[in-house]
């Protein structure tokens, strides 16, 4: 993660969504001292049917790509920018190229129902399957005074999520908010068993102890940071969505476990990708 010669890969297609992603990625690259690679994929295979399929022949750089690179050179002369144009399926190419990047950035669609259903075409596939951490950007917001929020579950993946979030908070001089959702099991439908107040207290204490231990495992990575722990009762989708409304960045893992184990894997992250107004950074689980 902490590579001095790092690169941020950002997918571009000339849309307003992609322009927001470029702006966010450029600012992030400056924060990290990394270079920026703008990747345009001229589509030859689009199973989602939401992009123009280009005919065969040479792959040419669209005019907007040069304009974006020139604008970045004027506004951020310290930033090293590379431009690349290839042919292929956008999601597949971005996932493949993410293996050589420290961070991959893609734009998101809007928040209407139709746009929510179409998010999965590229952004969600890249966020879930990329080799690097991935950020999905819906809009560029002023992050001044806003916290970096890490949403963690009770899995070993929590430390990776926290490490990214702590690093991003430090770069921004922002507060780090660590959020963890908990709840008690539901009683049976016949009323023969219901959870007790003592059970709720025990589960809440276990959840809080987990968060304290998880943050403590970071050691010096949190030195000097303003860290706030939010151990909240409720559905993790609701908890993360509420906190994301006032965040500069929401950091999540690729899969959820814990009390919401019965949900489809990754559904908490998927909901955040659809609904969060702030950029969402998805940290992949290390193999093995």
């Amino acid at each position: 993660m902490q590579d001095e010669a790092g690169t941020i890969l950002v997918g571009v297609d000339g849309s307003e969504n992609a322009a927001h992603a470029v702006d966010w990625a450029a600012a992030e690259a400056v924060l990290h001292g990394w270079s920026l690679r703008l990747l345009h994929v001229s589509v030859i295979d689009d199973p989602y049917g939401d992009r123009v399929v280009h005919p065969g022949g040479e792959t040419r750089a669209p005019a907007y790509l040069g304009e974006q690179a020139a604008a970045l050179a004027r506004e951020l002369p310290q930033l090293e920018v590379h431009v690349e144009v290839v042919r292929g399926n956008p999601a597949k190419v971005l996932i493949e190229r993410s293996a050589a990047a420290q961070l991959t950035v893609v734009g998101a669609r809007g928040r209407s129902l139709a746009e929510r259903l179409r998010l999965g075409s590229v952004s969600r596939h890249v966020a879930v399957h990329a080799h690097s951490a991935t950020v999905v950007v819906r809009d560029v917001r002023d992050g001044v005074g806003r916290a970096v929020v890490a949403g963690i579950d009770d899995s070993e993946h929590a430390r990776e999520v926290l490490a990214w979030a702590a690093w991003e908070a430090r770069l921004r001089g922002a507060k780090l908010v660590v959020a963890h959702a908990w709840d008690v099991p539901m009683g049976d439908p016949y009323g023969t068993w219901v959870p007790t107040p003592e059970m709720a207290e025990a589960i809440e204490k276990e959840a809080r102890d987990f968060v304290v231990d998880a943050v403590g495992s970071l050691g010096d990575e949190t030195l000097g940071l303003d860290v706030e722990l939010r151990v909240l009762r409720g559905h993790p989708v609701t908890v993360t969505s509420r906190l994301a409304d006032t965040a500069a960045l929401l950091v999540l893992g690729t899969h959820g476990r814990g009390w919401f184990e019965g949900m489809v894997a990754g559904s908490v992250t998927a909901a955040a990708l659809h609904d969060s107004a702030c950029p969402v950074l998805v940290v992949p689980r290390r193999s093995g």
Side-chain angles (χ1 to χ4, degrees), residues 1 63 76 80 122 125 129 151 157 159 166 184 193 199 217 219 232 273:
M1 167 166 68
L76 301 169
E80 180 182 344
V122 174
H125 280 267
H129 298 293
H157 191 36
R159 193 191 186 288
V184 296
W193 177 84
M199 179 181 293
S217 73
L232 304 171
L273 294 176

Side-chain angles (χ1 to χ4, degrees), residues 94 160 183 246:
L94 281 164
E160 300 170 58
D183 210 340
T246 57

